[in-house]
Amino acid sequence: MDCVTTGGNVKVLAKAIHSLSRIGEELYLEPVEDGLTLRAVNSSRSAFACFLLSPLFFQRYQTPSDQMFRCKMPIRSMLTVFRSLSSLERSVEKCRIELNSKRSRLTVTLHCRHGLLKTHNLSFQDCESLQAVFDKDSYANILRAQPRLWVDTVLHFPPSLEEVNVSVNGERVWLRNHVEDDADTSRAMMTELCLSSEEFDHFALSSQTSITFCLKEFRGLLVFAESSGLPVSMHFDEPGSPVVLSVSDTVLEANFVLATLSEDSHQRNHNNNKAERPQALPEPDDFMSDDMDSYLIAMETSDLAGPSHEPVTASCSTNHRARLPSEGDDDEEEDEESLDRPPNKKFCSLFFGSVLPVSSQLTNQTVQSQEVLASDSEDERQEE
Amino acid sequence: MKFRAKINDVGCLNHFTRVLNTITKLTKTCVLRLTVDNVYFVLSGKVANGGVSMWCELLQVNFFDEYQLEGVSSEANEICLEVAPENLSRALKTAQNAKSVKIKLTKKHCPCLTLAAELPSLSSIGRIVTHDIPVDIIPRRLWHDFKEPTMPDFDVSIYLPPLKTMKSVVDRMKNLSNYLVVEANLNGEMNLKIETDLVSVTTHFRDLGNPPWGDNAVQSQSRDVETMAHARVDIRKLQQFLMGQQVNPNKSMCNSALYIWICIQEGSYFLLHADIVDKRIIHLILLQEDVSLQYFIPAVA
């Protein structure tokens, strides 16, 4: 395998790696005819990201003679090569990724200015192909907007916020912080941002719906999208079904597939909110008749003592997400994700299957012999 | 009880945010007292805070374009809430370019202060970001805890040196000792001292100037100008105060409205030369055009 990137594309490649590092600890690399794929998945199997860099992205693109080469490595080692984006931009003219099969190393060479060569020999492990099965084109709802819009909206949520809820109806999109439904959270600060459909490049909804997914991983995609300036599409269906965030242009395509909270736990948290939010267009700014203040605080009663509370930040209990072991992935941790307490919320795990070396290897196409699913988080295995 | 206020001016919004950022650095939770004319942020000295107390007073008209208050009753026309200032800061932080910010007392799942900011957007319809900040209503029977503090009978009052300098000195001293002695006299001299078994360090400030206090005339006449009044305090409390101060970068130091006094009360020192175990306090006052902040740090033995 021999891939050479030059000029501005080196930084794009670096950004892709940075972006993937927000998802998982390992980088899965697989050169195929359609391009070089870089993938990552998180430990609970509820987030998957894939970058496909087409041959046109590269100055030279040569796949290995045995088509079946694929490997994985700790993403930290790749990050070390591409750590400083500013110095990459300033001094690197060319980047070459080659497979050195004799020594079992992936050699990444950075050709810098003044004839300086930086060579990194990264060791890797063989692995099965990592592929989440999804079909974004079948999803009922699509929103597309410039990355600036998405970045500006997530800005209003604290970096520590784990999950965000996106609700849509015909005219509007609401983003809210998602708070787990237990006693402490009545003290948490609730934030909601309302955007009108006009701000989006594309706003196609088939139904009013509301999904909740992990914000941290979404920010990972925004890291890439913002620097590329490419519009970000959000494809989603009903709660429980994964949300697919993608950017693409002529030479690359990136898909981030994130699991969403399933219906039952979801409703508990959001029914109240939705009932209170006015669904109609707000009246022209009329301070006196703003209907959010339709409640008057009751006169204080004598049993209010004014205790002190620390505000509770929303916490994501990743250990509640059940993980569906992926077929044929040979580096699995042996223990199942703990389900010792009944999870109050269930993130549906994405379905992973080993890709049969049949027809297309494109990541956004369903493998024909398998069902497209985001499987339930109960740990029954799906049949292939 | 009803409270609604609105800020339309971006300068006022920035100023209000800066005040909140300062309060956030001083305390995790405080009491917000709303009256017809003023907004107060109060922290009453309790063992839990190490005895530190704070009183911050804002003239409402200087910040809000609209302000409507209906207090608990007609003779007690104010509202007292317990709130975490960090939530308010966080809500305002990303709304600095808002066209308007509305603040309301509402009842959601619990009593809340709701902040709604109208942000500029790409379309004709603005983006609205709403934050619901949970608060606790403080019943009237507890209001006596949150009254305006009286000015202590201080022994010496002095203008502070530039806060940045003082902060860097205090930061370094913190590495050596937990307690700091602040001493000052009526000759514009101030010392910051730490003493441990191994080392003692003193930083001397000169020519600071003493504010003229009308009713201190009696004291200053009979007090020897060179004699230092001192108070020993927990260094972290002083550091916390210094960290929280954000000087408005637009105002030059010459015509700045930023004056600070440090008043050291030594209890009966002045009268009896009593021993240093007597109760003492440092009272720091920060005055700007429309905000005043008082911070009390009790002395420790």
Side-chain angles (χ1 to χ4, degrees), chain A residues 227-238:
Chain A
S227 66
S228 69
L230 297 170
V232 178
S233 303
M234 184 184 282
H235 301 250
F236 54 101
D237 236 350
E238 72 279 335

Side-chain angles (χ1 to χ4, degrees), chain A residues 273-289:
Chain A
N273 272 344
K274 279 177 85 163
E276 285 177 28
R277 302 292 180 239
Q279 297 288 335
L281 284 171
E283 293 168 25
D285 186 19
D286 182 354
F287 186 53
M288 303 307 274
S289 70

Side-chain angles (χ1 to χ4, degrees), chain B residues 103-116:
Chain B
I103 305 177
K104 271 190 280 209
L105 189 58
T106 57
K107 184 162 170 55
K108 302 283 163 82
H109 45 280
C110 64
C112 284
L113 264 184
T114 298
L115 258 88

Side-chain angles (χ1 to χ4, degrees), chain B residues 39-83:
Chain B
V39 172
Y40 305 95
F41 292 95
V42 186
L43 179 69
S44 72
K46 293 206 166 61
V47 174
N49 325 326
V52 161
S53 54
M54 173 194 72
W55 175 267
C56 179
E57 182 173 326
L58 281 77
L59 205 55
Q60 158 276 108
V61 295
N62 288 345
F63 293 90
F64 300 99
D65 293 279
E66 288 170 46
Y67 189 92
Q68 222 191 353
L69 177 90
E70 260 175 47
V72 163
S73 67
S74 47
E75 60 286 349
N77 197 20
E78 51 182 83
I79 298 176
C80 274
L81 308 167
E82 187 168 1
V83 70

Side-chain angles (χ1 to χ4, degrees), chain B residues 87-135:
Chain B
N87 285 342
L88 287 165
S89 294
R90 200 149 41 92
L92 287 172
K93 183 168 146 192
T94 50
Q96 290 304 293
N97 58 346
K99 292 187 213 161
S100 71
V101 174
K102 286 189 221 171
I103 305 177
K104 271 190 280 209
L105 189 58
T106 57
K107 184 162 170 55
K108 302 283 163 82
H109 45 280
C110 64
C112 284
L113 264 184
T114 298
L115 258 88
E118 196 191 327
L119 301 167
S121 83
L122 304 168
S123 76
S124 53
I125 306 174
R127 285 177 210 167
I128 313 245
V129 63
T130 313
H131 301 269
D132 292 319
I133 299 167
V135 297

Side-chain angles (χ1 to χ4, degrees), chain A residues 27 74 79 101 107 115 130 183 186 207 238 311-312 364 367:
Chain A
L27 177 68
L79 263 185
S101 9
T107 305
L130 177 75
S186 64
S207 62
E238 72 279 335
V312 177
N364 62 347
V367 180

